[in-house]
Amino acid sequence: MTLKQALNRTREIFVANNIADARLESELLLRHTLNISQTQLYIDINQELSPEQEKAFWHLVKRRLNGEPTVYITGHREFYGLDFYVDPNVLIPRPESELLVEKALKLAQHQPGVTIAEIGTGCGAIAISLALNLPQAKIYATDISAPALKVARANCQKHGVLNRVRLLLGDMLDSLPQPVDLIVANLPYVKESELLAQFPVSSEPRLALNGGPDGLERIRQLCRQLNGKLRPEGYLLLEIGQGQETAVTTFLSNLLPSAEIEVTPDLSGIDRVVSLHLT
Ligand SMILES: C[S@@+](CC[C@H](N)C(=O)[O-])C[C@H]1O[C@@H](n2cnc3c(N)ncnc32)[C@H](O)[C@@H]1O
């Protein structure tokens, strides 16, 4: 069987099994099996697979059909133009979270010694993207999950920022050793009752998704701890889920009446980031 035939066959199987992006997923699995780039895949497209390669490839296809996300099978996810290692201990970073990075960079780029904390870092994608784009910033990245922090550590090492991103195990802001200028967080915000409906076959950690009865429990928990952890004039950037903007901004303006609050939509037009500026 040639690479092309393997791809076509897999795409048909994925389509028949309602797997979105069937073509892309087939390519990622084949490239992972053969350990080749996309360009090499197209150069070799009419080459024959060896029996061992075929066996290894169909094994991965079977894992995908059993519900394992391709990203966990390959161990790679691109975020903000960078390659991150991911496994089932961490949420798979979503493209819409790149907005948090963009907003944070805009706020921090003219403050050389800025201190930033990313809360709930997961695989570290946000904190590491910030560290690489803000060479003089001091960055903390926290998570309550020790296995997630292990993944973040591996990614810090991979991107050469282990000495710049301080990884802290702890609940929300508890482990932060000093007040910071900017807090960035993509906390779990899915309603508990919607978890199964939204993620029926997900192997992502529930700890990374479950936002409690109304989805906002973790966000409220973080905001209630801001006092003494966010410097005067500091900023908070929170990723939120679709339809949560009014509840979050109302909560924040009651908690911190003098703060400036703004909501920014993502590329799909969904209100995605709530920014708060202490004044
Ligand atoms: C939605 S995931 C975001 C992961 C990563 N920042 C990203 O955007 O891909 C939320 C993360 O928050 C962590 N988390 C959940 N509860 C927490 C808490 N009380 N304190 C700190 N981190 C928490 C989870 O372990 C998970 O890694």
Side-chain angles (χ1 to χ4, degrees):
M1 178 176 259
T2 65
L3 273 62
K4 190 175 184 174
Q5 287 166 333
L7 282 179
N8 288 341
R9 181 77 196 107
T10 312
R11 193 192 54 210
E12 283 166 13
I13 296 171
F14 282 174
V15 168
N17 283 274
N18 298 318
I19 292 177
D21 300 323
R23 173 88 205 177
L24 175 69
E25 297 225 4
S26 317
E27 280 191 19
L28 289 172
L29 291 180
L30 189 56
R31 281 177 48 201
H32 183 66
T33 308
L34 304 175
N35 192 20
I36 56 173
S37 67
Q38 193 178 26
T39 312
Q40 197 60 45
L41 178 74
Y42 287 113
I43 293 171
D44 294 346
I45 198 82
N46 292 314
Q47 301 282 319
E48 288 284 328
L49 286 164
S50 72
E52 295 74 31
Q53 288 170 333
E54 247 190 75
K55 193 170 161 210
F57 177 60
W58 292 121
H59 175 65
L60 298 191
V61 171
K62 210 164 153 198
R63 282 172 62 185
R64 180 67 192 95
L65 290 171
N66 284 337
E68 219 176 317
T70 292
V71 171
Y72 287 154
I73 298 173
T74 63
H76 291 275
R77 173 66 160 190
E78 198 199 295
F79 180 84
Y80 213 71
L82 300 163
D83 181 55
F84 290 96
Y85 165 69
V86 282
D87 71 18
N89 291 306
V90 293
L91 184 96
I92 299 168
R94 308 294 202 264
E96 56 268 28
S97 302
E98 293 183 355
L99 182 59
L100 272 182
V101 178
E102 278 163 21
K103 301 247 352 152
L105 288 179
K106 253 191 213 143
L107 291 171
Q109 64 196 356
H110 301 302
Q111 300 182 56
V114 67
T115 47
I116 303 177
E118 194 219 340
I119 311 304
T121 194
C123 75
I126 292 174
I128 294 169
S129 303
L130 293 175
L132 289 172
N133 285 282
L134 298 167
Q136 295 184 55
K138 182 171 185 183
I139 299 181
Y140 297 104
T142 82
D143 207 291
I144 201 167
S145 155
L149 279 184
K150 219 170 148 191
V151 174
R153 172 170 293 277
N155 280 314
C156 283
Q157 218 147 17
K158 177 182 165 98
H159 289 288
V161 293
L162 202 46
N163 60 341
R164 303 246 345 272
V165 178
R166 194 158 152 211
L167 297 168
L168 301 166
L169 180 65
D171 193 3
M172 291 301 161
L173 305 174
D174 282 354
S175 52
L176 267 190
Q178 65 169 114
V180 296
D181 301 300
L182 171 59
I183 292 176
V184 182
N186 172 22
L187 293 169
Y189 54 68
V190 181
K191 271 189 199 174
E192 204 160 14
S193 57
E194 287 176 7
L195 272 176
L196 258 184
Q198 283 195 38
F199 301 93
V201 288
S202 173
S203 33
E204 290 180 289
R206 286 303 192 245
L207 183 63
L209 296 165
N210 190 349
D214 69 349
L216 301 177
E217 210 162 79
R218 299 283 79 78
I219 288 179
R220 281 193 297 264
Q221 185 189 349
L222 167 70
C223 297
R224 288 194 184 107
Q225 292 183 5
L226 286 176
N227 194 11
K229 297 288 185 178
L230 186 59
R231 283 194 184 129
E233 302 289 315
Y235 284 86
L236 166 71
L237 296 176
L238 287 173
E239 178 168 323
I240 56 165
Q242 188 163 13
Q244 293 180 334
E245 62 283 357
T246 308
V248 173
T249 55
T250 305
F251 170 76
L252 280 173
S253 49
N254 287 332
L255 186 74
L256 298 158
S258 66
E260 288 165 5
I261 298 165
E262 182 189 291
V263 181
T264 311
D266 63 18
L267 291 173
S268 318
I270 295 168
D271 283 333
R272 187 61 68 191
V273 172
V274 173
S275 320
L276 174 138
H277 181 200
L278 287 185
T279 54

